[in-house]
Amino acid sequence: MEKVEKASASADAILCLALDIGEGMLKSGGEVSRVESTIERICRAYGAVHVEVFSIISVINATVHMADGTQSAQMRRIRTTGTNMYRLELFNEISREICHQPPAIAEADARVRAAKQKLAYPAWAVLPASAVAASMFAVFFGGGAVEALVALLIGALLGMIDLLAADRINELAKTVVAAFVAGILSATSALLISSADSGVIMIGTIMLLVPGVAFGTALRDLLCGDLIAGGLKTVQACLAALMIAFGYLLAMAVMGGAV
């Protein structure tokens, strides 16, 4: 009896570790097909003889059968997803090392917990990065020095909104707020500076909010045959685009002819 309980706990621990990595990948923007494949490969690396995994953007279901006849079935509810390539690469690296030479469960679990806490960039780097990106996009779309400077300031503010509201409000609500603020400030700049082109400034700041990577991931899921996950991600990306448009339209309605 003690031997069976020990083996069962081992199956639970293996599947829990695999789901931790799969959950981290899915939250960081990984494709569903890659998440499912990673979970299966990790379980097999630890001795599983049969693994079944089903995942969409909000749920991962998995069952593992070990060589000694024990099994485990677990589910993970994914409430938020985003794009974090740095963290995604960390989870990929851990999974590759496990498949090459599996470490002790406790050691691998410690590495997964550490990866979940790591940030791609420090908070102080987000503001200048957002500012410079918005400024460069404004120049790319035909703006001059004035438009670049205004977009620089608005981009920094959008970066601040992203940091402050990351865990406080819904992602779509945050997108509407950011788009509305950017639209108001773009129109205000046209009122204060006669030579400023508010349209170019708006385009430059919009580029910080466009869910391009998410839409690309959705298309890849669709092409890989994951129709449910790909369809859900496509809807999610389209909703984000609609919220951007709604935020800017709201700003245009408030500011009137200044836009």
Side-chain angles (χ1 to χ4, degrees):
M1 181 67 178
E2 182 179 354
K3 183 178 180 181
V4 173
E5 289 177 354
K6 183 177 180 181
S8 178
S10 178
D12 288 338
I14 290 169
L15 185 54
C16 184
L17 172 65
L19 286 177
D20 281 342
I21 295 175
E23 178 184 6
M25 293 175 64
L26 197 58
K27 284 184 174 180
S28 301
E31 300 91 348
V32 164
S33 57
R34 180 175 296 183
V35 170
E36 293 178 343
S37 174
T38 297
I39 293 173
E40 181 176 354
R41 289 173 183 271
I42 291 173
C43 291
R44 290 189 181 278
Y46 280 106
V49 295
H50 184 72
V51 183
E52 293 290 347
V53 187
F54 174 75
S55 175
I56 56 177
I57 62 173
S58 57
V59 173
I60 304 176
N61 277 302
T63 302
V64 60
H65 297 262
M66 306 303 293
D68 59 4
T70 59
Q71 62 182 4
S72 177
Q74 298 179 32
M75 182 187 76
R76 292 293 173 88
R77 176 73 167 89
I78 312 299
R79 300 191 181 279
T80 58
T81 58
T83 303
N84 190 326
M85 294 301 178
Y86 174 72
R87 192 173 292 169
L88 182 61
E89 178 57 30
L90 288 178
F91 288 118
N92 278 329
E93 181 181 348
I94 295 172
S95 66
R96 285 192 293 267
E97 291 181 3
I98 290 175
C99 293
H100 177 67
Q101 187 174 359
I105 294 291
E107 178 184 345
D109 188 57
R111 290 196 58 188
V112 171
R113 288 199 304 269
K116 289 181 178 180
Q117 301 301 321
K118 288 186 177 180
L119 299 175
Y121 306 100
W124 59 263
V126 174
L127 300 185
S130 299
V132 172
S135 179
M136 293 299 100
F137 276 122
V139 173
F140 178 80
F141 287 107
V146 174
E147 288 78 12
L149 180 59
V150 175
L152 184 83
L153 299 175
I154 297 176
L157 183 58
L158 292 183
M160 186 178 299
I161 292 174
D162 185 59
L163 288 176
L164 296 177
D167 300 320
R168 290 178 172 82
I169 62 174
N170 179 273
E171 191 70 24
L172 294 179
K174 182 179 71 174
T175 301
V176 172
V177 171
F180 176 74
V181 170
I184 290 291
L185 294 178
S186 298
T188 302
S189 68
L191 293 176
L192 299 178
I193 307 173
S194 58
S195 61
D197 187 340
S198 62
V200 171
I201 298 171
M202 278 190 174
I203 294 173
T205 55
I206 282 175
M207 296 304 293
L208 297 180
L209 306 174
V210 172
V213 176
F215 190 71
T217 303
L219 290 180
R220 179 167 179 171
D221 280 335
L222 287 172
L223 294 175
C224 288
D226 295 308
L227 301 182
I228 297 176
L232 291 174
K233 285 186 177 180
T234 301
V235 171
Q236 192 177 49
C238 290
L239 280 175
L242 286 174
M243 293 304 101
I244 294 171
F246 177 72
Y248 278 96
L249 286 173
L250 195 59
M252 292 171 67
V254 171
M255 298 302 294
V259 182

